Amino acid sequence: MIATLAASLGLTPDDPSFWMPLVFMGMLFVLVVAGTVLDGFDLGVGILLQLAPAEERGRMLGLLSPWRDANEFWLLLGIGLFAAAFPFAWGTVLGQLYAPLTLMVLGVVLRSVSYEFRLRARTESKPRWVTAFWIGSLMTAFGQGMALGRIATGYQNTAGYHGFSLFVGLCAVAAYVLLGATWLTMRVDGDLQRRAVNWARHAIRWTAAGMVAIAVTLGLANAGIFYKWSNLAHLGLAVGVWVAMLLGFVGTEMVLTRLPRHAERFSWVPFVTCVGLFLLMLGGLAYSLFPFLILDDMTLWDGAASLGSMRLVLSGAIVAIPLILVFNILAYRSVFGKARRARN
């Protein structure tokens, strides 16, 4: 398959002009997965702040403290890598996703500023910064969903497709609420855990609706993607993905209905299953879009930088990635397990 793809481009598999864009796209996919999952529970907890009792909000923010610094760089690193490795696609993609990306960046900045200012604010001012953190979380999650909706519809600009992007934005908020609520279910106990279970059970239905909508729209909006998933050679893969998603949603719901009293030792299962569902969705999206950066218009190789530029960026990545991996292994090693009560 790789040899056939290379031959269709007039290249060979060992030609740097062929494999280097693939390496960068693989790195970009890893950053997207890391940002969606690792920053996802952070976003979810931020969105849930306004639903929690006032006395629990400081505790919820305190639970995020070990990962706040690590979570902040995923989006910026992904944008920087994309701009450096695929400059010819950058302008077009940025133009099509200007509104959702602007919303995301503003949300990230607001979240970071409000979190730090809350730590230094007087007691009477802390609720204002908690509210700002909540608004920033909503903006970031909704912007990501809108961007996903625009990508799934091939950046089409009719009113119906814009409405679909708004719907996916709402479903993205629900998906991050589900991830944040299941993480809280695993991390805390008592009344906050019971609330988290209830939040997760409400969010799971909208999350499922959003994932199904993305999958169906990808196929209906693009004949090539529909054929890729429906032809006999790949039909088994499509069936496997749908069955895995169904089992994931049903299994999560079943465990949640038994929490917190009857299945406490399995409180980690909903969070891990949700991570698996996110990975399935992102993997399916990558498979659907490959090898295009812009559907039916620009491939990885069309949008890639010059060979010299890619070598320079890759040299930096070879040095930086091991450091990033070590830092994040240390930062995220305590993401599981019950947490002690945090200071407000």
Side-chain angles (χ1 to χ4, degrees):
M1 178 179 177
I2 294 296
T4 303
L5 181 60
S8 69
L9 298 168
L11 302 169
T12 59
D14 58 348
D15 190 330
S17 297
F18 174 74
W19 61 261
M20 287 186 74
L22 287 175
V23 169
F24 279 108
M25 183 50 63
M27 293 167 58
L28 188 62
F29 179 74
V30 170
L31 290 177
V32 170
V33 169
T36 302
V37 173
L38 299 178
D39 194 30
F41 70 82
D42 189 328
L43 277 173
V45 172
I47 296 169
L48 289 168
L49 284 172
Q50 293 299 103
L51 298 177
E55 63 272 15
E56 293 285 7
R57 293 172 187 171
R59 180 188 180 193
M60 291 167 67
L61 283 171
L63 288 170
L64 299 176
S65 294
W67 304 285
R68 280 297 306 146
D69 291 337
N71 287 340
E72 288 174 350
F73 84 99
W74 295 113
L75 176 64
L76 298 177
L77 186 58
I79 290 175
L81 181 65
F82 185 82
F86 303 104
F88 298 106
W90 171 247
T92 302
V93 172
L94 183 63
Q96 295 290 349
L97 298 179
Y98 182 80
L101 286 179
T102 300
L103 194 64
M104 287 166 55
V105 171
L106 290 176
V108 169
V109 172
L110 181 58
R111 274 162 51 84
S112 299
V113 169
S114 58
Y115 189 88
E116 296 299 329
F117 275 41
R118 177 192 167 274
L119 295 175
R120 296 159 178 80
R122 296 189 184 95
T123 302
E124 61 270 19
S125 300
K126 287 182 183 292
R128 300 174 190 170
W129 294 112
V130 172
T131 301
F133 189 84
W134 168 69
I135 293 172
S137 300
L138 273 177
M139 291 170 61
T140 304
F142 190 73
Q144 288 186 18
M146 284 185 63
L148 180 58
R150 295 282 292 143
I151 292 170
T153 56
Y155 307 117
Q156 299 189 53
N157 289 314
T158 60
Y161 286 116
H162 284 299
F164 176 77
S165 296
L166 295 175
F167 170 74
V168 176
L170 293 174
C171 291
V173 171
Y176 283 124
V177 165
L178 176 63
L179 197 61
T182 53
W183 184 76
L184 284 174
T185 299
M186 176 182 65
R187 293 282 291 170
V188 302
D189 50 24
D191 180 65
L192 185 56
Q193 186 188 43
R194 287 189 290 272
R195 290 175 183 271
V197 169
N198 188 49
W199 295 329
R201 294 190 65 189
H202 281 87
I204 194 170
R205 295 162 179 80
W206 284 98
T207 303
M211 289 188 179
V212 171
I214 287 292
V216 172
T217 302
L218 272 170
L220 294 180
N222 189 279
I225 293 177
F226 180 81
Y227 176 77
K228 184 183 286 188
W229 283 100
S230 62
N231 74 81
L232 292 178
H234 301 140
L235 192 58
L237 175 63
V239 172
V241 169
W242 280 105
V243 169
M245 291 183 68
L246 177 62
L247 292 176
F249 282 116
V250 172
T252 301
E253 177 72 20
M254 290 177 64
V255 175
L256 287 171
T257 57
R258 296 180 61 81
L259 285 169
R261 291 185 178 180
H262 304 297
E264 180 59 33
R265 61 177 178 170
F266 298 111
S267 61
W268 56 272
V269 171
F271 177 70
V272 172
T273 306
C274 287
V275 170
L277 288 169
F278 272 67
L279 293 177
L280 275 175
M281 184 198 70
L282 293 172
L285 184 64
Y287 174 74
S288 298
L289 298 178
F290 183 82
F292 292 100
L293 292 172
I294 301 171
L295 271 174
D296 298 331
D297 187 29
M298 185 180 293
T299 67
L300 306 181
W301 298 274
D302 295 328
S306 66
L307 198 56
S309 297
M310 286 192 292
R311 281 176 175 154
L312 181 62
V313 176
L314 188 59
S315 299
I318 290 172
V319 175
I321 286 177
L323 297 176
I324 293 172
L325 287 175
V326 171
F327 172 75
N328 282 284
I329 288 171
L330 294 174
Y332 289 101
R333 62 182 178 178
S334 58
V335 76
F336 293 93
K338 294 295 181 185
R340 302 177 189 175
R341 276 204 167 260
R343 293 186 298 108
N344 291 340

